[in-house]
Amino acid sequence: MIKFDHRGIESKLVGEENGIDTEKEFENYKDRISEIITSLHNKKAGAGEWLQWMNLKYMEDTVWYIKEYASMVENRFDNILVLGIGGSALGGLAMTEALLKPYWNYLSKEERNNYPRIFFLDNIDPDCVKSLLNTLDLKKTLVNVITKSGSTHETMAQYMIVKDILEQELGDDYRKNIVATTDKQTGVLRQLADQEGYKTFVIPDDVGGRFSVFTAVGLLPLALVGIDIDEVVQGIKDMDERLKNPDIYNNIAAQNALIHYLLNTQKGKTITVIMPYSTRLQYIPDWFIHLWSESLGKSSDNNGNTINTGQTPLKAIGVTDQYSQMQLFNEGPNNKLINFIKVENFDNELKVPNIFEYTGIGYLGGKSLNELLDAEYESTKVTLTDCSRPTVSIILPKINGYYIAQLLYMFEMQTAITGALYNVDTFSQNGVEQAKNYTYALMGRAGYEESASEIKEKLTMV
Ligand code: PA5
């Protein structure tokens, strides 16, 4: 199982104003935490609670259908192109980047064991979209269009462009190159998929986009490139068993939730940094940023009080950002909690050759990059502590589907518990709606005429 080390936030190490006495606080909050966890589990079966991400049983069928479809299309495509944004892209991106061989899309077909390359198009930059579509042979590309609502305008605009090209190139057969992941009943994509006869996968009810990585949203792209999704599912199941425990002393998600809540509300840590010491984990912070921001950035609490709550999540990569952000972390405002993600065992060991023995870099000879990476993680952790900056570490025995699933599930649970501590509605995202409405208005969508004149007038001022 993954491990959690919170010694770096002890007030005796980083000072009263920056850290906490965990023993005391765990004791103070143990009943509240137990109540929160019990209530999440009691409510998870209820419709409209948005807690279906906690229910794993439904997954058996889904996993079976995903594997069946993946084996059916095996060897038929050179590329997978995922169209989606937010929760419909970030989980798949983070997991494939972590679990595939590094630089996957540059490897030969043999090196990829005949599995396709994979691309996530989660933006509408016309230069990038055009360039990617020109680069890929769309006839040999399986397009997985993912949208829970079935109407997200960025995804649907991409889909319309891609569908048009596919149809021109393949005629009626273009349908075989599209697989849609969406709601079982509602939304424009569901309607079109049924009309046009695409293969579809369902995003279950009451699973929000940012909590959907373990539905077909994330699992289908993984299976299409040959990742063992049974291992992923086992990781979630085992972590779920562990995180069901309402006892804070034995629940690492609850511990990190409480640490974030207290350091934010009592010690002024308004920023939480996610810093994996691994390039393969480079998109895990992006996935977390979405999860944390939309879940906890809220103007009011559940009683209607204005609170404007939420810590700002920040991405950093070890060791790369030691040469970029670390100066600020060590000496700038002491307003950050650093979450290291450390990998204990890499798949490879790479030795530095002993070639410049009598020079200033001679000490590196014979050592491995693994040793160097560990030394840098340890030095950074201790330096931050020397500078009275609080840190925690999440430790992965190695990078595989089992541990990555545990990590993401822990973060989901941590987010849900933190939301309950703030007493906010973790599962809504009203703050993104207004900009969407203005966009509809500017793009001439019927029904938004009033917003159109409002935004046009405001645009003369900002
Ligand atoms: O967390 C969420 O629900 C959102 O951020 C969605 O993931 C995002 O808006 C994309 O939505 P959809 O899947 O409907 O295209």
Side-chain angles (χ1 to χ4, degrees):
M1 298 300 280
I2 64 173
K3 290 175 269 184
F4 180 57
D5 182 352
H6 54 70
R7 288 171 301 168
I9 49 126
E10 290 299 332
S11 50
K12 61 179 184 282
L13 273 182
V14 291
E16 274 297 325
E17 60 286 25
N18 301 307
I20 53 173
D21 176 344
T22 43
E23 217 178 287
K24 189 175 119 210
E25 296 299 356
F26 286 2
E27 198 52 33
N28 286 345
Y29 278 87
K30 70 172 198 256
D31 293 340
R32 177 80 189 106
I33 290 290
S34 171
E35 247 172 57
I36 291 173
I37 295 173
T38 310
S39 140
L40 284 169
H41 281 277
N42 287 344
K43 286 199 295 195
K44 73 180 179 187
E49 299 289 354
W50 293 95
L51 290 171
Q52 287 300 323
W53 55 273
M54 293 172 68
N55 287 325
L56 300 173
K57 285 195 203 95
Y58 72 89
M59 290 190 49
E60 273 162 28
D61 280 3
T62 310
V63 168
W64 190 87
Y65 283 119
I66 289 173
K67 289 198 300 197
E68 191 203 42
Y69 178 72
S71 70
M72 225 173 74
V73 296
E74 208 174 301
N75 297 319
R76 274 187 40 206
F77 296 101
D78 289 345
N79 311 300
I80 306 297
L81 174 60
V82 177
L83 308 179
I85 197 164
S88 291
L90 288 165
L93 174 65
M95 290 201 70
T96 50
E97 186 71 15
L99 300 177
L100 290 173
K101 282 186 205 160
Y103 305 105
W104 178 257
N105 288 344
Y106 296 99
L107 303 179
S108 68
K109 212 170 168 182
E110 294 68 48
E111 287 166 323
R112 286 185 272 114
N113 296 328
N114 293 324
Y115 285 108
R117 299 184 201 90
I118 185 159
F119 300 86
F120 289 83
L121 206 47
D122 68 348
N123 204 349
I124 45 170
D125 177 326
D127 293 341
C128 295
V129 174
K130 189 161 174 55
S131 182
L132 182 63
L133 297 182
N134 285 346
T135 308
L136 300 180
D137 177 359
L138 284 183
K139 287 198 218 78
K140 300 288 288 168
T141 300
L142 177 63
V143 179
N144 183 196
V145 49
I146 310 179
T147 163
K148 160 99 174 155
S149 59
S151 56
T152 300
H153 42 275
E154 295 85 351
T155 307
M156 294 314 271
Q158 292 171 344
Y159 155 73
M160 287 156 87
I161 293 169
V162 172
K163 186 237 174 202
D164 194 43
I165 306 175
L166 274 175
E167 205 169 2
Q168 285 171 34
E169 292 192 5
L170 287 165
D172 257 8
D173 261 1
Y174 88 91
R175 294 177 171 84
K176 294 185 188 142
N177 287 43
I178 297 186
V179 50
T181 307
T182 191
D183 190 81
K184 68 173 184 302
Q185 227 169 343
T186 61
V188 182
L189 183 61
R190 165 54 61 193
Q191 206 184 323
L192 290 173
D194 290 348
Q195 261 167 30
E196 309 265 312
Y198 305 150
K199 171 77 187 166
T200 61
F201 285 89
V202 168
I203 308 174
D205 291 344
D206 291 335
V207 179
R210 54 192 177 276
F211 288 86
S212 69
V213 55
F214 299 122
T215 68
V217 169
L219 295 183
L220 178 61
L222 297 192
L224 291 172
V225 290
I227 293 169
D228 178 358
I229 60 171
D230 288 325
E231 190 182 55
V232 170
V233 172
Q234 196 55 51
I236 324 162
K237 282 188 175 157
D238 289 354
M239 199 48 157
D240 184 53
E241 277 307 313
R242 189 171 167 195
L243 300 183
K244 266 183 190 150
N245 194 334
D247 171 18
I248 187 164
Y249 293 96
N250 287 300
N251 188 317
I252 60 176
Q255 292 173 0
N256 211 19
L258 182 64
I259 287 167
H260 277 76
Y261 173 71
L262 292 178
L263 264 59
N264 179 215
T265 54
Q266 298 181 5
K267 310 289 168 177
K269 307 305 169 215
T270 52
I271 296 175
T272 184
V273 180
I274 302 295
M275 187 166 188
Y277 268 69
S278 155
T279 309
R280 289 172 70 182
L281 303 186
Q282 65 179 313
Y283 292 117
I284 302 280
D286 297 74
W287 173 84
F288 176 86
I289 285 169
H290 172 226
L291 176 71
W292 197 251
S293 304
E294 279 194 1
S295 301
L296 305 178
K298 299 289 148 88
S299 59
S300 48
D301 67 13
N302 291 326
N303 305 324
N305 304 309
T306 301
I307 51 169
N308 297 113
T309 197
Q311 267 173 320
T312 303
L314 186 67
K315 171 178 181 166
I317 301 294
V319 304
T320 313
D321 281 299
Q322 289 175 200
Y323 292 84
S324 165
Q325 304 186 76
M326 199 48 70
Q327 169 69 29
L328 174 75
F329 293 176
N330 282 332
E331 293 188 13
N334 196 343
N335 58 357
K336 298 173 199 67
L337 163 61
I338 319 282
N339 292 250
F340 292 117
I341 303 177
K342 175 177 162 39
V343 178
E344 280 180 323
N345 297 292
F346 285 83
D347 291 350
N348 296 282
E349 194 193 32
L350 195 55
K351 284 248 192 253
V352 181
N354 233 327
I355 51 174
F356 292 117
E357 219 171 322
Y358 303 108
T359 71
I361 52 172
Y363 71 95
L364 293 170
K367 308 270 173 41
S368 65
L369 291 189
N370 312 55
E371 287 172 272
L372 182 57
L373 192 78
D374 280 353
E376 298 211 31
Y377 155 72
E378 280 165 2
S379 319
T380 302
K381 191 168 64 161
V382 172
T383 308
L384 283 162
T385 311
D386 289 346
C387 297
S388 306
R389 314 287 150 143
T391 67
V392 292
S393 294
I394 301 166
I395 298 143
L396 269 57
K398 63 183 295 203
I399 298 179
N400 63 21
Y402 184 66
Y403 295 122
I404 295 296
Q406 289 187 20
L407 175 70
L408 299 193
Y409 193 74
M410 172 191 162
F411 278 144
E412 289 182 339
M413 206 63 201
Q414 175 187 318
T415 305
I417 298 170
T418 311
L421 285 165
Y422 285 121
N423 188 27
V424 294
D425 180 3
T426 312
F427 304 102
S428 66
Q429 57 280 326
N430 302 331
V432 293
E433 294 309 319
Q434 183 60 355
K436 279 193 198 169
N437 292 338
Y438 280 147
T439 307
Y440 297 147
L442 289 175
M443 295 297 286
R445 184 170 170 178
Y448 290 82
E449 295 75 9
E450 230 170 84
S451 297
S453 21
E454 188 189 322
I455 186 172
K456 280 178 189 153
E457 195 192 321
K458 287 181 180 168
L459 276 172
T460 61
M461 296 181 275
V462 290

